[in-house]
């Protein structure tokens, strides 16, 4: 994504003004207690989304608007990685990859010719015990060839819980971290990191996106207590802080987002339909916005946490698209219907100039 | 589906009023002879559908509106389980699974990323004689991992008639029954239970949805006589009663439904097109409505048979959608077209509040 943003200084100024003057006051410099006790945690999500979305012009070339890879898809699950990867494309990424098992690849490829699907992973049933080490090394080497090209990984959609597969994915995550590639972790990826906190602990480019149950397990594991909804934002802040400043997007009636320094909420109207797969749209969306925000923030601008910005923008877009899809399809709204509304939602919020 | 229904008492009252005052008079307390001799067997199907459909609001989370699993799909048949499972989603279930053979899975997956497809079953051709016992045990163990999560099973769409496969499915049915999971049985599932009545006999959460020929075989097997159309409702009542109070939905020009205690009919205008696959839409629909009705009835409400309610609502919705699809597509109406009208039909009957 080098040279991705023309007129970057101008846009930085716009960004700061969108966030209400001194953005550091708005986003970062709030103290922990101020942030939590403030009744208006609500982020100005639409302004943030507008501020981090790159302009489009004819000087750009393929890849500059983002290259995302979803690590997920096994014999059992194929829909989830597709939803995540296609959402990234529909939001504006230039290339969207899926790294999945051999058996999952033909099915995921068949959902869409737009995706680049790598049949690189293996599950235990397809590898003899004595071959595990060599196969693991080979998988890692193959994924590593691509690592530097990715602007963000999504780890977990439809990953399954096969122990050998999860071992390989742990290694991929270590390499991604070493290469400073951001990671959005959802679904079975959260199962993995809840049991292997070292994989993300202290990595500021890691984003966790737990639903109700996944959040509960994280809180139990990390804070050694139960979820406390009376003091939800403070507990979320503690949780993110305890995992060394990763960003956590807690999905719910409102989405709450914290990086251990501050908490923000996004409550834009969404959809009351809870069909499976919506979390995958969100993970793909956050990945794209995080990559965009990171590019913007990295350029001599103020140090705003791009993971926070990516989560806020991703949550806002997902909610808006779900609400439009529900208006149209009502009770029969499916995840594919919401994906079809990503484009219009983006255009409503952030029209192409 | 815990806590799925807010304001349940209010809705129960509405439900009772929809059924015409004292619903027990309307639905359950009618004597067998009254019910059969009454020329107006017609159920108030639209009111029933409205009464059992859950409200949608933003406090709910994934799974509360129902998790359905279709057991079916083999090397030969893949369309039927897809139609059944996708219909369940389009009506409003949150998750829809298919449990099928290994060969059928990639094809069913490729129809839609919305379904969770488990390649768990095996046919005789893929299992050596000496391995049958161990493979059967393994299949059952795998399915059992999921059983408690399902609110209703559909047994039979595209199941085929392979003896080893049917043995495995018999075992799955026994486990479902032990776990009190409702079952809607159609297609090759009806072939199975016609020869193994013990699988459903006396189980009030079993629903059979026979077409003309399947009904004929059931009558011959159970009542040891031929179908008597002069006294159709009485014979249906006797049949359901003889199988120990299972609910039977006899598909035809009008659909007739009995649980051995009463008979109801649904005659809402449908479609004159008889393309294959419509029965699969019906089985998926009945599964969702049964799960919803069971949830509603289970909550300190009156003991109305949720299987009857599920059948009446499923039949009504299917007929309405088929009629709308036929109006649009005429002679070229296919099952997929009818599925596309499930959402609008639901919204016409039971608008989202």
């Amino acid at each position: 994504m080098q040279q991705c943003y023309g007129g970057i200084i101008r846009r930085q100024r716009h960004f700061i003004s969108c966030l209400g003057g001194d953005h550091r006051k708005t986003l970062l410099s709030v103290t922990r207690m101020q942030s939590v006790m403030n009744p208006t945690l609500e982020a100005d999500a639409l302004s943030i989304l507008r501020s981090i979305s790159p302009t489009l012009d004819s000087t750009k070339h393929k890849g500059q608007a983002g290259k995302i890879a979803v690590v997920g898809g096994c014999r059992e699950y194929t829909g989830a990685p597709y939803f995540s990867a296609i959402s990234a494309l529909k939001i504006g990424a230039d290339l969207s990859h899926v790294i999945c098992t051999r058996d999952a690849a033909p099915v995921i490829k068949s959902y869409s010719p737009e995706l680049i699907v790598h049949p690189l992973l293996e599950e235990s049933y397809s590898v003899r015990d004595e071959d595990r080490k060599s196969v693991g090394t080979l998988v890692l080497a193959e994924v590593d060839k691509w690592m530097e090209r990715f602007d963000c990984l999504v780890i977990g959609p439809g990953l399954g819980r096969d122990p050998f597969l999860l071992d390989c994915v742990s290694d991929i995550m270590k390499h991604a971290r070493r290469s400073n590639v951001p990671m959005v972790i959802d679904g079975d990826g959260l199962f993995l990191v809840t049991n292997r906190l070292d994989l993300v602990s202290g990595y500021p480019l890691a984003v966790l996106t737990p639903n109700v149950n996944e959040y509960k397990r994280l809180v139990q594991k990390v804070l050694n207590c139960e979820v406390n909804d009376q003091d939800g934002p403070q507990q979320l802040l503690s949780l993110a802080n305890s995992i060394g400043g990763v960003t956590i997007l807690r999905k719910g009636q409102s989405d709450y987002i914290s990086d251990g320094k501050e908490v923000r909420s996004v409550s834009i109207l969404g959809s009351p339909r809870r069909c499976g797969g919506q979390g995958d749209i969100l993970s793909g969306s956050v990945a794209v916005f995080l990559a965009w925000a990171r590019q913007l923030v990295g350029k001599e601008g103020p140090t705003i946490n791009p993971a926070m910005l990516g989560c806020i923008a991703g949550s806002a877009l997902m909610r808006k698209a779900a609400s439009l899809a529900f208006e149209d399809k009502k009770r029969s709204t499916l995840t594919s219907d919401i994906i079809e509304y990503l484009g219009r939602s983006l255009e409503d919020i952030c029209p192409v100039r």
Side-chain angles (χ1 to χ4, degrees), chain A:
Chain A
M1 286 171 68
Q2 298 91 329
Q3 304 168 320
C4 190
Y5 297 83
I8 199 128
I9 307 231
R10 181 177 42 77
R11 303 206 51 231
Q12 282 280 6
R13 284 201 199 107
H14 168 67
F15 188 33
I16 290 167
S17 78
C18 280
L19 296 176
D22 181 353
H23 68 280
R24 276 164 299 194
K25 209 181 258 168
T26 320
L27 262 187
L28 283 186
S29 296
V30 284
T31 68
R32 186 181 298 186
M33 286 313 290
Q34 272 177 331
S35 177
V36 174
M37 294 180 69
N38 189 336
T40 55
L41 299 176
E42 189 71 7
D44 185 0
L46 302 186
S47 293
I48 289 174
L49 193 160
R50 273 190 284 273
S51 302
I52 61 181
S53 297
T55 53
L56 291 177
D57 65 64
S58 55
T59 63
K60 305 233 166 109
H61 61 257
K62 186 171 76 176
Q64 288 185 316
K67 303 176 291 301
I68 305 301
V70 177
V71 180
C74 61
R75 184 165 61 165
E76 201 152 19
Y77 305 112
T78 50
Y82 161 74
F83 287 141
S84 185
I86 200 75
S87 299
L89 279 183
K90 292 264 186 185
I91 288 166
D94 282 343
L95 293 165
S96 192
H97 298 248
V98 175
I99 295 169
C100 62
T101 70
R102 254 195 304 174
D103 287 346
V107 176
I108 300 172
K109 285 169 186 280
S110 77
Y111 293 145
S112 169
E114 313 279 356
L115 305 177
I116 302 165
V117 182
H118 307 266
L120 294 178
L121 304 178
E122 299 280 359
E123 289 180 82
S124 301
Y125 71 83
S126 65
V127 184
R128 288 183 305 180
D129 283 355
E130 60 268 36
D131 295 337
R132 289 195 175 191
K133 202 172 165 193
S134 62
V135 171
T137 308
L138 203 65
V139 166
L140 195 60
E142 285 296 318
V143 176
D144 251 7
K145 285 184 195 165
W146 294 88
M147 191 66 83
E148 301 269 319
R149 307 188 211 179
F150 298 140
D151 298 308
C152 189
L153 298 183
V154 181
I155 308 275
L159 189 59
R161 296 187 176 184
D162 178 74
F164 174 69
L165 179 59
L166 293 185
D167 280 349
C168 290
V169 172
S170 303
D171 289 338
I172 292 171
M173 290 175 74
K174 286 182 207 157
H175 279 232
R177 192 171 169 166
R178 227 172 285 150
S179 306
N180 261 332
V181 177
M183 289 185 270
V184 178
I185 296 146
D186 191 44
D188 294 317
L190 287 172
F191 168 81
L192 172 62
V193 302
T194 302
N195 297 315
R196 288 281 315 269
L197 286 165
D198 60 292
L199 291 171
V200 293
S201 187
Y203 185 49
L205 292 174
V207 171
L208 316 185
T209 54
N211 63 20
V212 174
N213 289 325
E214 291 154 349
Y215 187 72
K216 187 177 161 191
R217 283 193 290 269
L218 261 177
V219 167
Q220 287 168 338
K221 180 81 178 192
V222 178
L223 300 180
N224 209 18
C225 65
E226 294 303 315
V227 172
N228 172 2
D229 276 322
Q230 301 276 267
D231 200 10
Q234 178 62 51
Q235 192 175 45
L236 174 63
L237 192 100
S238 302
L239 182 66
N241 197 41
S242 300
I243 316 178
V246 301
T247 296
I248 301 174
L249 192 173
R250 180 189 180 187
K251 298 181 276 196
Q253 203 171 345
S254 289
D255 294 336
Y256 283 88
I257 301 149
S258 178
D259 58 359
K261 293 196 193 83
E262 58 157 349
V263 184
R264 289 281 151 177
S265 62
V266 179
S267 311
I268 290 166
L269 183 68
S271 152
R273 263 291 264 156
R274 292 289 173 268
C275 49
Q278 295 186 53
D280 306 310
I281 302 181
L282 183 69
S283 65
S285 307
V286 170
V288 177
F289 286 120
L290 195 172
W292 288 349
R294 192 178 176 218
Q295 187 64 21
L296 191 62
V297 168
K299 299 261 185 186
E300 61 189 87
T303 44
I304 301 169
N305 185 346
M308 285 292 292
L309 299 177
C311 286
I312 291 166
S315 167
L317 182 67
M318 168 66 205
R319 283 169 169 265
K320 167 98 178 166
S323 134
L324 290 178
F326 184 73
E327 224 175 275
D328 179 15
K329 301 278 185 166
K330 301 288 193 301
R331 288 179 190 274
S332 74
T333 308
L334 300 190
T335 294
S336 305
D337 299 317
I338 300 173
I339 290 172
E340 282 313 300
Y341 274 99
L342 287 172
R344 192 180 126 191
S345 304
L346 258 177
E347 189 56 19
D348 280 359
I349 301 171
C350 174
V352 169
R353 280 179 291 270

